[in-house]
């Protein structure tokens, strides 16, 4: 399961399949005057693999590759160069998740939306921290987590999934941005689907907008003091449990809340790698005829 060369070849072959029409004959997304030792698809595959195996420290990964697998990774580039290329290729790493979602789109008619806190600074350092502050537009903010019933400094990861666990899309906002703003600014959705959310997504204007543009029906629970109150269907509550499963996998399996980044581009690259890693594991399960959401042992087959 933790055989790095075998799993790397598996991820690399899937990435070649997903990006077949987007790369050149060297498996790069662009032309390089000086041919790099590692092509772009290898960077993408290795970024997703290290998150899958729970290796979120590049120092640890490079020490393992140079000592245990030096003969199998003879084209390994410098760690700092890998880090720079990983940040630059972050949009392409994110596209892995989009490609998998497009291929598995027809398996489900119901989507679920929710957000999860991504803290990056200890609350005790609220007045003194300097990380992530190079740009005001992407600087972290103080927000409240209703689930943990506590304040934190960082961001929110907004995720839309299908009810079988496949990640449809995701985005990052500051921690003080209300969840409904994610749906207000969304620019693509598969058409003629149902979208389930919690009470944070109550908005008649957003419901009308989603239906007019994508024919997507947004279903949220009524507040108890609303007119024409109706009980939320049990089947919808059951389907919404899947997003809690996905969040648990991101936190426990892929260490979502363990952060080593010191800038927003670095954090965005890491989050994109984690989400695409989940999508690759789900795609492997799909190809092997296994339950898509059970990613824990996907690499065993």
């Amino acid at each position: 399961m933790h055989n790095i060369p075998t799993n790397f070849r598996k991820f690399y072959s899937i990435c070649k399949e997903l990006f077949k029409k987007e790369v050149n004959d060297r498996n790069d997304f662009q032309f390089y005057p000086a041919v790099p030792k590692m092509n772009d698809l290898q960077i993408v595959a290795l970024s997703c693999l290290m998150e899958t195996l729970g290796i979120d420290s590049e120092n640890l990964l490079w020490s393992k590759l140079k000592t245990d697998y030096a003969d199998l990774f003879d084209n390994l580039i410098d760690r700092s160069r890998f880090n720079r290329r990983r940040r630059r290729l972050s949009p392409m790493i994110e596209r892995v998740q989009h490609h998998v979602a497009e291929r598995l789109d027809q398996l489900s008619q119901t989507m679920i939306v929710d957000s999860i806190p991504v803290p990056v600074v200890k609350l005790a350092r609220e007045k003194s921290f300097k990380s992530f502050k190079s740009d005001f537009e992407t600087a972290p903010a103080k927000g409240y987590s209703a689930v943990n019933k506590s304040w934190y400094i960082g961001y929110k990861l907004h995720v839309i999934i299908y009810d079988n666990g496949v990640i449809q899309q995701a985005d990052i906002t500051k921690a003080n941005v209300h969840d409904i703003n994610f749906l207000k600014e969304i620019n693509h959705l598969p058409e003629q689907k149902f979208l389930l959310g919690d009470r944070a997504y109550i908005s008649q204007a957003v419901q009308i907008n989603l239906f007019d543009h994508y024919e997507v029906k947004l279903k949220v629970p009524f507040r108890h003091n609303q007119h024409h109150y109706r009980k939320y269907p049990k089947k919808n509550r059951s389907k919404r449990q899947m997003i809690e499963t996905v969040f648990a996998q991101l936190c426990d399996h892929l260490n979502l809340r363990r952060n080593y980044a010191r800038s927003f581009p670095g954090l965005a690259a890491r989050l994109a790698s984690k989400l695409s890693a989940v999508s690759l594991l789900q795609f492997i399960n799909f190809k092997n005829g296994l339950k898509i959401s059970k990613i824990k042992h996907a690499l065993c087959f």
Side-chain angles (χ1 to χ4, degrees):
M1 180 176 175
H2 290 91
N3 188 314
I4 293 180
T6 300
N7 292 325
F8 173 74
R9 286 191 291 269
K10 188 179 297 185
F11 273 32
Y12 184 58
S13 65
I14 295 176
C15 288
K16 286 172 66 176
E17 177 184 346
L18 296 176
F19 290 103
K20 185 177 181 180
K21 298 180 180 180
E22 301 179 44
V23 295
N24 57 27
D25 56 351
R26 296 183 181 275
N27 290 321
D28 289 319
F29 294 105
Q30 66 179 63
F31 171 74
Y32 292 99
V35 179
K37 293 172 66 176
M38 293 183 71
N39 61 50
D40 287 346
L41 280 189
Q42 289 176 323
I43 300 293
V44 171
L46 190 57
S47 298
C48 295
L49 178 63
M50 62 183 286
E51 299 293 350
T52 300
L53 301 181
I55 306 174
D56 51 3
S57 166
E58 291 167 5
N59 278 325
L60 174 60
L61 176 65
W62 247 243
S63 66
K64 291 177 72 67
L65 294 180
K66 286 185 176 181
T67 55
D68 299 344
Y69 307 104
D71 54 335
L72 299 174
F73 288 89
D74 54 350
N75 64 335
L76 192 66
I77 60 177
D78 185 72
R79 180 183 60 82
S80 61
R81 185 176 295 274
F82 168 80
N83 194 23
R84 289 194 297 272
R85 288 183 67 187
R86 181 189 189 187
R87 290 199 301 269
R88 182 173 57 79
L89 290 171
S90 178
M92 307 314 298
I93 296 174
E94 187 177 342
R95 281 188 62 79
V96 172
Q97 171 251 307
H98 292 306
H99 279 307
V100 173
E102 288 174 358
R103 297 203 174 201
L104 306 183
D105 172 69
Q106 300 302 321
L107 298 179
S108 175
Q109 290 298 312
T110 304
M111 301 180 295
I112 309 160
V113 60
D114 208 345
S115 67
I116 184 171
V118 183
V120 295
V121 178
K122 295 290 186 182
L123 197 59
R125 299 186 60 234
E126 179 181 1
K127 303 295 184 182
S128 61
F129 77 94
K130 298 180 180 179
S131 302
F132 297 91
K133 282 189 173 181
S134 59
D135 185 356
F136 174 78
E137 294 296 324
T138 58
K142 185 176 181 180
Y144 183 76
S145 171
V147 175
N148 300 322
K149 296 182 179 180
S150 61
W151 294 89
Y152 71 98
I153 299 173
Y155 304 89
K156 278 184 183 179
L157 177 64
H158 302 265
V159 181
I160 295 178
I161 69 167
Y162 293 106
D163 62 357
N164 56 9
V166 175
I167 298 173
Q168 199 280 323
Q169 63 178 288
D171 197 10
I172 311 169
T173 65
K174 295 188 178 188
N176 59 358
V177 174
H178 195 278
D179 289 352
I180 195 63
N181 291 299
F182 168 62
L183 290 183
K184 287 180 179 178
E185 298 177 4
I186 207 164
N187 54 22
H188 71 280
L189 271 178
E191 296 184 350
Q192 299 180 348
K193 304 278 188 182
F194 290 94
L195 180 61
L196 307 180
D198 57 23
R199 290 187 176 90
Y201 299 94
I202 294 177
S203 172
Q204 187 176 10
V206 171
Q207 286 179 311
I208 294 173
N209 182 62
L210 291 177
F211 187 79
D212 288 345
H213 286 83
Y214 311 105
E215 296 185 40
V216 168
K217 296 181 179 179
L218 176 60
K219 302 289 186 181
V220 296
F222 282 81
R223 292 194 180 98
H224 291 288
N225 60 351
Q226 276 186 275
H227 293 295
H228 310 296
Y229 170 81
R230 292 193 301 273
K231 191 175 181 180
Y232 200 54
K234 185 177 180 180
K235 65 177 182 179
N236 289 352
R237 291 200 303 271
S238 298
K239 287 184 178 181
R240 285 204 72 255
Q241 292 300 315
M242 179 54 70
I243 201 161
E244 302 300 335
T245 299
V246 172
F247 285 160
Q249 291 170 342
L250 286 170
C251 292
D252 298 339
H253 188 176
L254 289 99
N255 303 317
L256 177 70
R257 292 196 173 99
R258 192 164 71 189
N259 171 53
Y260 294 126
R262 289 295 175 265
S263 66
F264 182 77
L267 177 68
R270 287 175 180 269
L271 292 179
S273 299
K274 294 177 191 296
L275 293 168
S276 291
V278 171
S279 294
L280 286 173
L281 295 175
Q282 292 170 341
F283 192 59
I284 290 172
N285 281 341
F286 170 73
K287 296 183 74 172
N288 290 332
L290 303 173
K291 189 173 181 180
I292 291 175
S293 61
K294 292 189 175 182
I295 65 172
K296 189 75 171 181
H297 305 292
L299 295 179
C300 296
F301 298 94

